Amino acid sequence: MKIAVYGAGYVGLVTAACLAKMGHDVISADINPERIALLLQGECPIYEAMLPALLIEQCELGRLSFTTNLQDTIHDAQIHMIATGTPCLANGQADLSQVFAVAQCIAENIKQDGFVVIKSTVPVGTGDRIENIFSEIFNARKERFEVAVVSNPEFLREGNAVHDFLYADRIILGGEPDALLCLEQIYQPLTAEGIPVIKMQRRSAELTKYAANAMLASRISFMNQISWISTKVDADIEEVRKGLSADKRIGPAFLHAGIGYGGSCFPKDIQALMHTSKALDIDVTLLEAIDHINMRQKNWVAEQLMTHFKGALKDKRIGILGLAFKPGTDDMREASSLVVIERLLEMGSELFLYDPVAIPAAKTMFTEKSEKMSWCASIDEVLTHRLDALVIATEWPEFKNYPLALIRQSLEDAPLIDGRNCFDLEAVKAAKLSSYYSVGRIPLREVI
Ligand code: UDX
């Protein structure tokens, strides 16, 4: 069966490339001609480990192709995977216009029976709405095909997406049992390796996706809440985390305190889940708390600097290491660094910024404020600017591995504000940093 994947964004491209890797005949379709032109030239439009080589490999093997021609794609395929974006509207609701536009286009052009597989993160009940679109358009066309609508949410982390697809913890399929039996075959190369398929009702599958992201976000906000207590009572959140992680009921994942979560999923999915809950008159206290703690935590860096400099941040020269919302990506969406930068610019600081890959993406977000911002090509360059303070906003390995002795030498008496707890406190003491602030651990000051 031929598989069409609509949307060549990060979910769509990873899905298309991995399905091809599994031996399927896949076409990736997108309405953006520049994006498809890049892909046809063998270039990958997004920063994602392993993806560029996989795209080239699968194109060369003839299993993967790209197109802007939706009509021909729809005619040829039996499996239609929708992987378009569902951004957040101002009221928190997920914007489903791209998903519905693709569904409508499929319904208008389809010429044979098939499956519609929803990969995009969509609110519960979206599958039903897509079924209605098909029904209405088939009525207008006065012809009808058997089209089963299935939910197959993705759980791909940016930076690890290819790995997360091919070595998934589980594959969730939601829909009518007969349709799921057929779709299960697509994933046979993965299930043969022991990856379980969990079949369920379509609405349950749609909700599972939101619940997974909300659960992970809640763990992060919970640890950030505990970090506030930890600092006040002179405990160490990293020790607390290790103690919690060893409990098999809790496990180690997503327990790192820091300056909050960002990215294209957690913030928007929490908003969308709140929106859905409110519309159903369901109490949203927990979801609101997750979001509130996260927003508050993004101000942590500015608060430490305000305390250290007693509010006088005007003209302070501050280095910022890390801009992307997490390591391994150039994605700046909802990055905590954006809040750090905004707050420090508001207070008149001068910023020297470095990120291994996200500077081009970051530059596009600050075109009007650039006179107070200097973009640097390396950590070393940031450190040459006689800084009044250095901030770590993303825990890239090259920051964690940078010798603390060199940081100490450049900073002299200036503080290091570590928003991602990159360093061990003993190592910081040994390097004799003048002041070191980290999340959920008491500040080390004048250790010398
Ligand atoms: C997430 C989900 O993990 C993935 O399954 C879903 O499909 C898309 O959303 P992603 O947005 O790529 O993936 O990022 P993830 O690795 O989950 O991290 C999200 C945010 O949480 C980052 O800002 C990260 O810095 C933060 N985080 C993560 C913490 O602050 N502490 C942790 O312990 C883990």
Side-chain angles (χ1 to χ4, degrees):
M1 287 199 279
K2 180 141 189 155
I3 304 176
V5 181
Y6 305 93
Y10 121 89
V11 172
L13 272 184
V14 171
T15 301
C18 290
L19 288 169
K21 175 87 181 162
M22 287 154 60
H24 296 297
D25 181 9
V26 185
I27 183 153
S28 159
D30 199 295
I31 53 171
N32 181 336
E34 287 93 36
R35 181 160 281 243
I36 293 297
L38 267 182
L39 287 160
L40 287 169
Q41 286 160 26
E43 286 176 45
C44 181
I46 53 172
Y47 181 89
E48 182 61 45
M50 295 163 70
L51 186 60
L54 187 59
L55 290 173
I56 290 170
E57 178 193 275
Q58 294 308 312
C59 286
E60 282 174 1
L61 287 169
R63 294 200 286 238
L64 177 62
S65 54
F66 303 101
T67 185
T68 50
N69 187 334
L70 260 62
Q71 279 188 358
D72 285 356
T73 306
I74 295 163
H75 292 165
D76 291 345
Q78 291 83 42
I79 297 185
H80 306 271
M81 291 200 166
I82 303 181
T84 48
T86 52
C88 198
L89 292 169
N91 64 357
Q93 198 175 357
D95 176 358
L96 297 175
S97 55
Q98 295 176 50
V99 171
F100 289 147
V102 172
Q104 187 175 335
C105 193
I106 299 170
E108 284 166 353
N109 291 286
I110 198 164
K111 287 183 171 169
Q112 56 182 316
D113 296 344
F115 299 90
V116 167
V117 181
I118 311 167
K119 274 267 165 217
S120 307
T121 301
V122 293
V124 179
T126 303
D128 301 13
R129 292 174 70 184
I130 290 177
E131 269 182 358
N132 290 341
I133 290 175
F134 273 82
S135 184
E136 279 168 23
I137 292 176
F138 286 164
N139 284 344
R141 279 177 63 176
K142 296 193 173 48
E143 57 183 341
R144 185 161 291 279
F145 302 98
E146 287 300 320
V147 177
V149 179
V150 171
S151 167
N152 174 211
E154 52 79 21
F155 301 95
L156 310 174
R157 288 166 301 168
E158 286 186 30
N160 293 280
V162 172
H163 176 276
D164 286 353
F165 194 103
L166 296 174
Y167 301 93
D169 291 337
R170 77 309 204 183
I171 295 155
I172 302 279
L173 291 176
E176 290 303 319
D178 288 351
L180 299 191
L181 268 183
C182 290
L183 272 186
E184 209 178 345
Q185 289 166 20
I186 295 178
Y187 286 105
Q188 194 278 334
L190 302 186
T191 51
E193 297 295 320
I195 297 174
V197 170
I198 303 176
K199 294 187 231 174
M200 56 182 76
Q201 297 171 43
R202 192 170 58 212
R203 286 176 170 243
S204 305
E206 290 169 338
L207 185 55
T208 301
K209 166 68 194 205
Y210 280 103
N213 276 354
M215 166 71 87
L216 295 171
S218 75
R219 285 170 70 100
I220 298 168
S221 281
F222 175 81
M223 287 307 282
N224 284 333
Q225 163 104 58
I226 298 293
S227 79
W228 303 342
I229 305 170
S230 178
T231 312
K232 292 270 185 202
V233 301
D234 198 2
D236 180 334
I237 192 73
E238 296 304 326
E239 292 178 348
V240 176
R241 179 174 60 76
K242 283 179 196 141
L244 288 175
S245 301
D247 187 326
K248 288 195 181 65
R249 296 168 301 175
I250 297 173
F254 283 75
L255 293 183
H256 287 272
I259 51 171
Y261 59 77
S264 63
C265 294
F266 286 1
K268 114 177 139 59
D269 292 350
I270 297 283
Q271 292 298 327
L273 201 51
M274 273 198 268
H275 186 273
T276 303
S277 307
K278 282 180 188 163
L280 296 166
D281 209 14
I282 291 166
D283 183 90
V284 289
T285 311
L286 177 59
L287 298 172
E288 267 171 0
I290 295 168
D291 186 51
H292 171 78
I293 292 170
N294 197 54
M295 306 289 271
R296 218 186 126 172
Q297 201 65 0
K298 291 188 180 197
N299 286 313
W300 180 88
V301 166
E303 283 163 11
Q304 307 312 303
L305 285 165
M306 289 287 280
T307 309
H308 187 89
F309 292 109
K310 301 189 172 57
L313 283 174
K314 188 155 168 17
D315 296 327
K316 287 282 183 291
R317 300 162 67 82
I318 299 175
I320 298 186
L321 298 181
L323 301 169
F325 84 93
K326 68 171 188 178
T329 178
D330 66 348
D331 199 334
M332 289 294 300
R333 283 176 287 179
E334 305 286 337
S336 298
S337 68
L338 294 172
V339 176
V340 175
I341 292 168
E342 287 288 354
R343 290 291 312 273
L344 297 181
L345 288 178
E346 272 163 29
M347 292 185 281
S349 304
E350 195 178 342
L351 306 181
F352 301 90
L353 308 115
Y354 169 66
D355 186 283
V357 298
I359 288 179
K363 275 184 179 171
T364 63
M365 301 177 117
F366 289 101
T367 43
E368 284 159 26
K369 296 175 181 159
S370 47
E371 76 284 355
K372 281 273 191 181
M373 299 169 79
S374 302
W375 306 98
C376 300
S378 64
I379 307 175
D380 293 337
E381 191 186 328
V382 173
L383 292 175
T384 57
H385 284 286
R386 291 176 291 104
L387 301 174
D388 294 303
L390 179 65
V391 170
I392 299 179
T394 316
E395 67 279 31
W396 283 96
E398 71 173 78
F399 305 157
K400 288 176 151 184
N401 297 329
Y402 196 85
L404 273 170
L406 292 183
I407 294 181
R408 160 75 184 93
Q409 213 177 355
S410 307
L411 288 185
E412 297 180 358
D413 290 343
L416 173 59
I417 317 291
D418 183 356
R420 298 292 181 184
N421 290 6
C422 290
F423 299 109
D424 187 70
L425 287 185
E426 290 309 313
V428 173
K429 282 181 198 162
K432 297 187 168 34
L433 250 73
S434 167
S435 310
Y436 177 72
Y437 298 82
S438 58
V439 179
R441 302 186 292 188
I442 51 150
L444 298 180
R445 288 201 201 93
E446 285 159 21
V447 189
I448 309 167

